């Protein structure tokens, strides 16, 4: 499968901006997803990128560079409820029959 | 909003016993998945299912595992002879067939505890 790398943990302050990076290697890239997972809960979909550039959705934005195998999730105006794990997931049409594989996730802690 | 539902929310089973985890995917979805998440670890792909057959499975999904769609609504994961290391949260997910950008929607999971 792919190698998907994310920082293990990050800490940020309420009201601030945080950027969570994800790098990946694929044989047949066919989309990158970001999910949010609160402790003990299911992953919930945040964003999808398949073309280069920035996708904005309210306080959350996601960026993709296919040539660099790189994405980031940008969270603005952080709130305490944003404390969660953020999972980068990549779909590979060659290696994984177009199924999605997750990175290990980045645990974000938002402090007052 | 339609949801993926999973039952039970928590299953406690003796080692060596069979267990069946149940899922009801979103009704018009065509692709179905099982994932596993051991406590504190990553979400791991187990199997994908489309058109009434397995389309992909991971190394974790060995002969002890099987999936079934017994009717038009349920999607089950069976573990034949459970081991201690099968203790994990098991998530079911489904996706519609209309376009690669459609995300997978996850159920709330079944926490499986093997004693």
């Amino acid at each position: 499968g792919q190698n998907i790398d994310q920082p293990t943990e990050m800490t940020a302050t309420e009201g601030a901006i945080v950027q969570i990076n994800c790098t990946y290697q694929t044989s047949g890239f066919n989309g990158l997803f970001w999910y949010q997972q609160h402790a003990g809960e299911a992953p919930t979909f945040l964003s999808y990128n398949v073309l280069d550039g920035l996708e904005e959705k309210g306080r959350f934005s996601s960026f993709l560079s296919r040539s660099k195998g790189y994405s980031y999730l940008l969270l603005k105006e952080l709130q305490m409820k944003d404390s969660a794990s953020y999972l980068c997931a990549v779909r590979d049409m060659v290696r994984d029959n177009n199924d999605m594989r997750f990175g290990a996730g980045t645990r974000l802690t938002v402090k007052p | 909003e339609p949801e993926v539902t999973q039952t039970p929310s928590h299953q406690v089973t003796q080692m060596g016993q069979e267990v069946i985890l149940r899922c009801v995917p979103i009704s018009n979805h065509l692709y179905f998945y099982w994932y596993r998440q051991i406590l504190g670890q990553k979400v791991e792909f187990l199997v994908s299912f489309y058109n009434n057959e397995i389309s992909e499975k991971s190394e974790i999904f060995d002969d002890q595992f099987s999936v079934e769609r017994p009717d038009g609504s349920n999607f089950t994961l069976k573990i034949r002879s459970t081991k201690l290391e099968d203790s994990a949260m098991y998530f079911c997910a489904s996706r519609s067939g209309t376009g690669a950008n459609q995300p997978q929607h996850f159920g709330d999971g079944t926490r499986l505890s093997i004693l």
Side-chain angles (χ1 to χ4, degrees), chain A residues 15-102:
Chain A
I17 299 172
V18 71
Q19 177 174 312
I20 303 173
N21 296 325
C22 172
T23 58
Y24 62 88
Q25 293 94 46
T26 59
S27 297
F29 177 80
N30 195 27
L32 185 144
F33 296 80
W34 284 95
Y35 279 78
Q36 180 190 61
Q37 186 180 28
H38 285 99
E41 297 183 12
T44 55
F45 170 71
L46 290 178
S47 69
Y48 170 78
N49 296 72
V50 69
L51 299 176
D52 291 349
L54 190 68
E55 294 283 339
E56 296 187 79
K57 195 185 288 187
R59 293 190 299 116
F60 293 4
S61 305
S62 56
F63 172 83
L64 176 69
S65 169
R66 288 172 296 170
S67 62
K68 294 181 181 177
Y70 167 68
S71 173
Y72 67 72
L73 180 70
L74 194 71
L75 292 75
K76 302 176 189 173
E77 301 168 20
L78 280 172
Q79 302 174 8
M80 299 299 290
K81 67 177 182 179
D82 297 330
S83 292
S85 286
Y86 291 86
L87 315 181
C88 175
V90 177
R91 184 176 280 161
D92 190 324
M93 72 176 84
V94 173
R95 284 189 191 173
D96 301 311
N97 196 31
N98 218 25
D99 292 325
M100 198 168 65
R101 298 290 186 273
F102 284 92

Side-chain angles (χ1 to χ4, degrees), chain B residues 47-61:
Chain B
V47 67
S48 57
F49 193 88
Y50 170 72
N51 200 27
N52 282 320
E53 60 184 17
I54 291 173
S55 49
E56 187 77 12
K57 58 184 180 179
S58 71
E59 319 77 57
I60 303 168
F61 195 88

Side-chain angles (χ1 to χ4, degrees), chain B residues 10-68:
Chain B
H10 192 186
Q11 174 80 45
V12 182
T13 301
Q14 292 286 334
M15 186 173 62
Q17 296 296 305
E18 174 183 286
V19 66
I20 296 176
L21 310 182
R22 303 183 189 279
C23 170
V24 179
I26 295 173
S27 64
N28 62 345
H29 283 191
L30 301 178
Y31 296 83
F32 313 117
Y33 306 85
W34 282 101
Y35 293 86
R36 177 182 86 175
Q37 188 173 32
I38 295 169
L39 187 63
Q41 297 187 24
K42 67 186 286 186
V43 175
E44 299 175 288
F45 170 80
L46 292 178
V47 67
S48 57
F49 193 88
Y50 170 72
N51 200 27
N52 282 320
E53 60 184 17
I54 291 173
S55 49
E56 187 77 12
K57 58 184 180 179
S58 71
E59 319 77 57
I60 303 168
F61 195 88
D62 61 22
D63 292 343
Q64 294 299 312
F65 291 86
S66 62
V67 289
E68 201 175 36

